[in-house]
Amino acid sequence: MEDTSLGRTGAWRWILLTAIAPIAWGSTYVVTRAVLPAEPLWGAVIRALPAGVLLLLLSRRRPHGAWWWRSALLGMLNTGGFFALVYAVAQRLPSGVAATLMAASPLVMMAAARVVLGQRPRILALTGGAAGIAGVALMLFGGDGAVDPVGILLAVVALVSSAVGYALATRWGAVDLVASTAWQLLAGGLLVLPLAVLVEGAPPLLDGAAIVGFAYVTVIATAVAFVAWFAGLRHLPAATVGLIGLLNPVTGVVLGALVAGEALTGRQFTGLAIVLVGIALGQVRLRRSAQSPSDSRNDRVGAKNVDPVAAVEKSRMRS
């Protein structure tokens, strides 16, 4: 069984690895709006399938048993359907607005982890999530330009979908990390492919800039990012991972201003600061847990006060 005592060095190693994912995801908003075509379904397919093939070549493992239908479900929740939603959001909303909506993800992830994994979030984690929501409100309504309500609705659906998918992936995670990520990406891309053909017709023609953009989104913001994210979910509490995910809106806002020239107001700067406070609150709790492993075990998973890894392992055996 995996060692449940995350030392201070070990915890920060997993935090830094996990942070790769939201930083990479936050950068996709600018790339999507700047150089990628407007078809969200084809965008999801072109992003997911090559990344899945790349990881499958690295892992050289095929799904087995229940992982055929699990891969299909997780592929739709975490990759194919999620990519299409996020792609559409990025086309409808300014980069900063689209990214800041993802600051709601920690609370959504905590709720999903409570239901699926039995992980009960602590007060500091909830406070950090609330800080993210406050930052969202300031940053969302502090920018220039109109906000598309359809884009906001699509972003909310994407948040709920991914939170449930991440919790299920953690519960079912007793398989090779790279292989399971590959299966999800391939399943998601293949499930969206016929819908893309039916709704959007032939695949879009890609110029040189779009090819480079998709190469970055596929390799860095998909293959590398999802492996890092799922690794974090296996070694850190979902609440901690969700708060690390607040780096997504931070990256989106900063790049939106630096690269896309999107205006930042005083309210958005204030919201950005609040989001950073939310991230810091989660790491304060983790530092205390690293110093007191027995206390950490009692705090991460609900009323039974058991070790989180053991709880996940038991849930996998039951599934």
Side-chain angles (χ1 to χ4, degrees), residues 3-28:
D3 182 9
T4 61
S5 178
L6 281 176
R8 183 180 300 182
T9 302
W12 280 105
R13 181 178 68 243
W14 292 114
I15 288 171
L16 292 175
L17 177 64
T18 306
I20 293 173
I23 292 173
W25 293 336
S27 68
T28 62

Side-chain angles (χ1 to χ4, degrees), residues 76-97:
M76 183 56 66
L77 293 175
N78 292 337
T79 59
F82 177 72
F83 290 165
L85 289 168
V86 171
Y87 199 101
V89 169
Q91 295 291 349
R92 287 180 169 271
L93 297 176
S95 300
V97 172

Side-chain angles (χ1 to χ4, degrees), residues 25-34 85-103 136 139-153 155 248-265 268:
W25 293 336
S27 68
T28 62
Y29 300 105
V30 172
V31 175
T32 299
R33 287 179 64 86
L85 289 168
V86 171
Y87 199 101
V89 169
Q91 295 291 349
R92 287 180 169 271
L93 297 176
S95 300
V97 172
T100 55
L101 282 170
M102 295 302 153
V136 166
M139 298 171 79
L140 177 61
F141 298 108
D144 295 334
V147 176
D148 183 355
V150 175
I152 294 177
L153 176 61
N248 182 328
V250 171
T251 303
V253 168
V254 171
L255 290 181
L258 295 178
V259 178
E262 297 175 358
L264 289 179
T265 69
Q268 285 183 304

Side-chain angles (χ1 to χ4, degrees), residues 35-39 42-43 46-47 87 203-215:
V35 299
L36 300 188
E39 293 84 355
W42 274 114
I46 298 173
R47 178 180 179 180
Y87 199 101
L205 296 176
L206 305 179
D207 57 17
I211 292 174
V212 172
F214 268 122

